[in-house]
Amino acid sequence: MTARLPLTTPPLRVQRLSLAQGLALATDSPALFGALGYGTPDGLAWMPTVNARVLTDGPPMADVWHASEHIESGTTGVVRWRCDGHWMLGAIDLDENVEQSGVAALAERAYRDLFAALEATGCAHLLRIWNYLPQINGDGGGLERYRQFNAGRQQAFVDAGQAAFDGAPAACALGIHQGALSIRFLAGRTAPLAVENPRQVSAYRYPPAYGPRAPTFSRAALAEIGGGDVALFISGTASIVGHETVHVGQLLPQLEETLRNLAAVIAAANARTSAVFDLSALDCVVYVRHAADAPLVRQALEAALGPAAHTVSHAVYLEADICRQDLLVEIEAHAVARGALLP
């Protein structure tokens, strides 16, 4: 198989930087596209933050995105967005206490406005979504809050004619301890290529035991991002084989299984592109349920990949509840490499 020619698109770039580096870059480049911050202040409109405790020493960090110089900002319903005409970054924050709405209705409203924003800008295809839900494993009147979120999210996808099953975007959903339902997303004018993990049942095909509506995401997605580069977006990945949690209550075996799943989804992605991605060369976010586990996870990652591996040296660690109560750790990631998608 040979790679098809890369799409002619304005290049999209991403850097993991300290907050100080990001602010300096914004001063030098007023048209900076946007960023997703970890431990960063709330007041930066172009850098919405993740409301979760950072568990690593050092300064606040951010994934800073670059697009073309012609950036427009706007709002559509509850969505705040920035767009250069081809790429779009957006953020949503909805407080249940203020909105006086249940999780399912809140998720459906958020995603309904998200899809309206995609239509308004012409960036119709979601590439990557980050979802942060307060008390994700809590009871919401007889149904776990994550399962309520899944119901509202999927309904919005179906109503909008978006891919809720095969072809769904890459995504993660984590539990924060307080604050608003927060959704961050990246979209573009060209659909990504969804990638599944051969070791796992696709999330959107989970049996009814996991809730009345299945989670709406693919295990990963590939996208040509201009300039001869391909981006790999890896969804939240944990110790699940088939559709079942394995190594319940065992932190390090769960991490080892997570790494096996990451390796499997990377191999599946590499089979679909001339770009080459590697487990040791990711920008990852590591979510741990218990803050005290973060040093153990870091030590285990160093032992598995080597302390000099980019995945280890550039990792951000956050305290967050995983979408299943029996999961202790989850990793999501992105990477960029030279190449093109295979036909």
Side-chain angles (χ1 to χ4, degrees), residues 101-124:
S101 179
V103 176
L106 211 63
E108 186 174 348
R109 176 186 172 193
Y111 272 91
R112 183 181 65 238
D113 284 3
L114 188 159
F115 293 131
L118 300 189
E119 184 176 1
T121 61
C123 296

Short mmCIF file of all heavy atoms in Angstrom, two decimals, residues 101-124:
data_model
loop_
_atom_site.label_atom_id
_atom_site.label_comp_id
_atom_site.label_asym_id
_atom_site.label_seq_id
_atom_site.Cartn_x
_atom_site.Cartn_y
_atom_site.Cartn_z
N SER A 101 -29.97 21.55 36.24
CA SER A 101 -30.25 20.52 35.24
C SER A 101 -29.49 19.26 35.59
O SER A 101 -28.38 19.32 36.16
CB SER A 101 -29.86 21.02 33.85
OG SER A 101 -30.11 20.05 32.87
N GLY A 102 -30.05 18.10 35.28
CA GLY A 102 -29.38 16.84 35.51
C GLY A 102 -28.25 16.62 34.52
O GLY A 102 -28.13 17.32 33.50
N VAL A 103 -27.42 15.61 34.79
CA VAL A 103 -26.23 15.36 33.98
C VAL A 103 -26.59 15.03 32.54
O VAL A 103 -25.98 15.55 31.59
CB VAL A 103 -25.39 14.24 34.60
CG1 VAL A 103 -24.20 13.91 33.70
CG2 VAL A 103 -24.89 14.64 35.98
N ALA A 104 -27.57 14.16 32.33
CA ALA A 104 -27.92 13.75 30.96
C ALA A 104 -28.38 14.96 30.14
O ALA A 104 -27.94 15.16 29.01
CB ALA A 104 -29.00 12.68 30.98
N ALA A 105 -29.26 15.76 30.71
CA ALA A 105 -29.76 16.94 30.00
C ALA A 105 -28.65 17.95 29.76
O ALA A 105 -28.58 18.59 28.70
CB ALA A 105 -30.90 17.58 30.78
N LEU A 106 -27.76 18.08 30.74
CA LEU A 106 -26.66 19.03 30.61
C LEU A 106 -25.70 18.59 29.50
O LEU A 106 -25.25 19.41 28.67
CB LEU A 106 -25.91 19.13 31.94
CG LEU A 106 -25.26 20.47 32.27
CD1 LEU A 106 -26.31 21.57 32.39
CD2 LEU A 106 -24.47 20.36 33.57
N ALA A 107 -25.37 17.29 29.46
CA ALA A 107 -24.50 16.78 28.41
C ALA A 107 -25.13 16.94 27.04
O ALA A 107 -24.46 17.33 26.07
CB ALA A 107 -24.16 15.32 28.67
N GLU A 108 -26.43 16.63 26.95
CA GLU A 108 -27.11 16.77 25.66
C GLU A 108 -27.11 18.21 25.19
O GLU A 108 -26.85 18.49 24.01
CB GLU A 108 -28.54 16.26 25.79
CG GLU A 108 -29.29 16.22 24.45
CD GLU A 108 -30.66 15.59 24.57
OE1 GLU A 108 -30.95 14.97 25.62
OE2 GLU A 108 -31.44 15.71 23.61
N ARG A 109 -27.36 19.14 26.10
CA ARG A 109 -27.33 20.57 25.73
C ARG A 109 -25.94 20.99 25.29
O ARG A 109 -25.78 21.69 24.29
CB ARG A 109 -27.78 21.41 26.93
CG ARG A 109 -27.70 22.91 26.67
CD ARG A 109 -28.00 23.69 27.92
NE ARG A 109 -27.74 25.11 27.74
CZ ARG A 109 -27.70 25.98 28.74
NH1 ARG A 109 -27.90 25.59 29.98
NH2 ARG A 109 -27.44 27.25 28.50
N ALA A 110 -24.92 20.59 26.05
CA ALA A 110 -23.55 20.97 25.70
C ALA A 110 -23.18 20.49 24.31
O ALA A 110 -22.64 21.25 23.49
CB ALA A 110 -22.58 20.41 26.75
N TYR A 111 -23.47 19.24 24.02
CA TYR A 111 -23.10 18.69 22.72
C TYR A 111 -23.99 19.22 21.60
O TYR A 111 -23.53 19.38 20.47
CB TYR A 111 -23.10 17.16 22.77
CG TYR A 111 -21.77 16.61 23.21
CD1 TYR A 111 -21.50 16.38 24.57
CD2 TYR A 111 -20.76 16.38 22.29
CE1 TYR A 111 -20.26 15.90 24.97
CE2 TYR A 111 -19.52 15.90 22.69
CZ TYR A 111 -19.28 15.67 24.03
OH TYR A 111 -18.04 15.20 24.43
N ARG A 112 -25.23 19.53 21.89
CA ARG A 112 -26.07 20.15 20.88
C ARG A 112 -25.49 21.51 20.45
O ARG A 112 -25.39 21.81 19.25
CB ARG A 112 -27.49 20.35 21.44
CG ARG A 112 -28.47 20.92 20.42
CD ARG A 112 -29.85 21.12 21.02
NE ARG A 112 -29.82 22.14 22.07
CZ ARG A 112 -30.19 21.94 23.32
NH1 ARG A 112 -30.58 20.74 23.73
NH2 ARG A 112 -30.16 22.93 24.19
N ASP A 113 -25.05 22.29 21.43
CA ASP A 113 -24.44 23.58 21.10
C ASP A 113 -23.08 23.38 20.43
O ASP A 113 -22.69 24.16 19.55
CB ASP A 113 -24.28 24.43 22.36
CG ASP A 113 -25.60 25.05 22.81
OD1 ASP A 113 -26.64 24.76 22.19
OD2 ASP A 113 -25.58 25.81 23.80
N LEU A 114 -22.35 22.34 20.85
CA LEU A 114 -21.06 22.04 20.20
C LEU A 114 -21.26 21.78 18.71
O LEU A 114 -20.54 22.34 17.87
CB LEU A 114 -20.43 20.83 20.89
CG LEU A 114 -18.99 20.43 20.51
CD1 LEU A 114 -18.39 19.58 21.62
CD2 LEU A 114 -18.93 19.66 19.21
N PHE A 115 -22.25 20.97 18.37
CA PHE A 115 -22.48 20.67 16.96
C PHE A 115 -22.98 21.90 16.20
O PHE A 115 -22.67 22.07 15.01
CB PHE A 115 -23.44 19.49 16.82
CG PHE A 115 -22.87 18.20 17.32
CD1 PHE A 115 -23.59 17.39 18.20
CD2 PHE A 115 -21.61 17.78 16.95
CE1 PHE A 115 -23.07 16.20 18.67
CE2 PHE A 115 -21.07 16.59 17.41
CZ PHE A 115 -21.80 15.80 18.28
N ALA A 116 -23.73 22.77 16.87
CA ALA A 116 -24.14 24.02 16.23
C ALA A 116 -22.92 24.90 15.95
O ALA A 116 -22.84 25.57 14.90
CB ALA A 116 -25.13 24.77 17.12
N ALA A 117 -21.94 24.89 16.85
CA ALA A 117 -20.71 25.65 16.64
C ALA A 117 -19.91 25.09 15.46
O ALA A 117 -19.35 25.84 14.65
CB ALA A 117 -19.87 25.65 17.90
N LEU A 118 -19.86 23.76 15.34
CA LEU A 118 -19.17 23.16 14.20
C LEU A 118 -19.82 23.60 12.89
O LEU A 118 -19.14 23.94 11.92
CB LEU A 118 -19.20 21.64 14.30
CG LEU A 118 -18.55 20.96 15.50
CD1 LEU A 118 -18.49 19.45 15.29
CD2 LEU A 118 -17.17 21.50 15.80
N GLU A 119 -21.13 23.61 12.87
CA GLU A 119 -21.85 24.02 11.66
C GLU A 119 -21.60 25.49 11.35
O GLU A 119 -21.42 25.87 10.19
CB GLU A 119 -23.33 23.75 11.83
CG GLU A 119 -24.16 24.06 10.58
CD GLU A 119 -25.62 23.71 10.74
OE1 GLU A 119 -26.01 23.24 11.83
OE2 GLU A 119 -26.38 23.89 9.77
N ALA A 120 -21.56 26.32 12.38
CA ALA A 120 -21.39 27.75 12.17
C ALA A 120 -20.02 28.09 11.59
O ALA A 120 -19.88 29.04 10.81
CB ALA A 120 -21.59 28.50 13.49
N THR A 121 -19.00 27.32 11.95
CA THR A 121 -17.64 27.61 11.49
C THR A 121 -17.25 26.80 10.26
O THR A 121 -16.22 27.11 9.64
CB THR A 121 -16.63 27.31 12.61
OG1 THR A 121 -16.71 25.91 12.95
CG2 THR A 121 -16.90 28.16 13.84
N GLY A 122 -18.00 25.79 9.92
CA GLY A 122 -17.64 24.93 8.80
C GLY A 122 -16.65 23.85 9.16
O GLY A 122 -16.26 23.04 8.31
N CYS A 123 -16.20 23.81 10.42
CA CYS A 123 -15.29 22.76 10.88
C CYS A 123 -16.14 21.61 11.42
O CYS A 123 -16.32 21.47 12.63
CB CYS A 123 -14.34 23.31 11.94
SG CYS A 123 -13.24 24.60 11.33
N ALA A 124 -16.64 20.82 10.52
CA ALA A 124 -17.75 19.90 10.84
C ALA A 124 -17.31 18.61 11.51
O ALA A 124 -18.16 17.84 11.97
CB ALA A 124 -18.52 19.57 9.56
#
